[in-house]
Amino acid sequence: MNLIADTHTHTISSGHAYSTIQENAREAYENGIRMINMSDHGPAMNGAPFLYHFGNLGVIPQMLYGVRIIKGVELNIVSYDGEVDLPRRYLKGLELVLASFHDICIVPSTVENHTRAAIKVLENPYIDVLAHPGNPQFQIDIEKVVKAAKENNKLIEINNHSFYVRKGSENNCREILRMCKEYGVRITTGSDAHISFNIGKFENVKRLIAEVDMPEELVITTSVEKMEDYLLERQKRIKG
């Protein structure tokens, strides 16, 4: 399965990543990636940019070096009621919004609390993707969360970086994929690159997709057209 979009990438603006958006775009093109989501961390993360960073993303060209630049964010989930760290007025202006758990922003709790927060996030009309949900530090009830994604027409991310930095994620990711296949939930693919050389690196994601025999129609990152259709779908959703 050919993946042409990377919906989870970071720049130096995240504070602990090491490439610029120009460097990311150049490397993406070299790696056969035609769309990248600029998803720097929300402001609750240490070293992350201030609110105005996300309000000013419109100055970045839509195309850089032959790569479509999607203006987004990786929100931090900051409460088990599903609160996140950017106000809606900023989220309205973005193109693709991820949300995820990080232990620096919220203390790991119970499966019940993690599941409740994940579902609340998926119910938020301004959030599109639950990012790296396979993290065993924030274990969820996978079936309940996948069903919530289906009910709210949202995306679940399979994150290539999790296999290296969130130990124990692989079995969860496999089960998440299996459940997404069963319930017809669309997935997206993220490298979670913190340096340009990792843009579009999906070796673990592709292996699991093949193992589960995930239908291509449920993987939105296989074509520019599917990605653009989803971005349009988001705009229609947030406009009510």
Side-chain angles (χ1 to χ4, degrees), residues 5-236:
D6 188 341
T7 59
H8 192 153
T9 71
H10 294 278
T11 74
I12 54 173
S13 295
S14 283
H16 58 277
Y18 304 96
S19 300
T20 65
I21 187 61
Q22 292 98 322
E23 290 166 336
N24 281 356
R26 289 192 191 102
E27 193 70 22
Y29 187 83
E30 292 297 318
N31 291 340
I33 300 297
R34 295 297 172 259
M35 305 177 80
I36 57 174
N37 185 30
M38 188 177 175
S39 52
D40 283 310
H41 287 286
M45 176 69 70
N46 289 349
F50 190 61
L51 296 176
Y52 298 159
H53 169 88
F54 301 99
N56 197 41
L57 289 176
V59 302
I60 298 169
Q62 188 175 73
M63 298 292 297
L64 279 174
Y65 311 109
V67 174
R68 166 80 158 86
I69 308 299
I70 303 167
K71 284 85 168 186
V73 62
E74 182 184 9
L75 297 173
N76 298 289
I77 300 169
V78 295
S79 85
Y80 286 113
D81 291 319
E83 294 174 290
V84 291
D85 57 342
L86 269 186
R88 286 189 174 188
R89 67 180 182 274
Y90 288 96
L91 298 179
K92 283 180 180 180
L94 300 178
E95 294 183 283
L96 190 69
V97 173
L98 285 58
S100 61
F101 294 108
H102 294 98
D103 62 3
I104 199 169
C105 299
I106 187 169
V107 177
S109 183
T110 63
V111 172
E112 291 75 18
N113 280 340
H114 303 155
T115 300
R116 184 176 78 252
I119 290 172
K120 289 285 189 183
V121 160
L122 291 167
E123 290 172 346
N124 187 326
Y126 297 95
I127 298 173
D128 305 290
V129 181
L130 183 62
H132 48 75
N135 185 358
Q137 190 178 26
F138 292 95
Q139 185 67 44
I140 55 172
D141 183 316
I142 292 172
E143 186 168 21
K144 286 182 179 178
V145 170
V146 168
K147 282 182 174 180
K150 179 67 174 179
E151 290 167 6
N152 293 281
N153 208 18
K154 299 296 182 65
L155 306 174
I156 298 289
E157 178 194 80
I158 303 298
N159 184 297
N160 200 73
H161 198 48
S162 287
F163 293 74
Y164 303 112
V165 300
R166 287 176 276 272
K167 300 300 183 183
S169 292
E170 181 168 344
N171 288 338
N172 280 340
C173 289
R174 185 180 291 105
E175 182 64 9
I176 287 166
L177 273 175
R178 192 185 71 76
M179 284 285 177
C180 286
K181 178 181 177 181
E182 180 177 341
Y183 289 105
V185 171
R186 291 175 293 177
I187 69 160
T188 185
T189 56
S191 67
D192 205 349
H194 284 66
I195 192 166
S196 61
F197 307 115
N198 289 331
I199 299 283
K201 296 296 176 70
F202 294 128
E203 65 279 3
N204 297 305
V205 171
K206 287 182 175 181
R207 175 172 54 80
L208 275 196
I209 284 174
E211 283 182 24
V212 174
D213 193 23
M214 192 72 178
E216 187 167 338
E217 61 266 24
L218 293 179
V219 185
I220 72 162
T221 48
T222 56
S223 78
V224 170
E225 291 74 22
K226 279 197 284 189
M227 284 295 304
E228 290 290 1
D229 284 348
Y230 184 83
L231 298 181
L232 181 60
E233 181 182 316
R234 169 196 163 75
Q235 289 305 310
K236 290 178 179 177

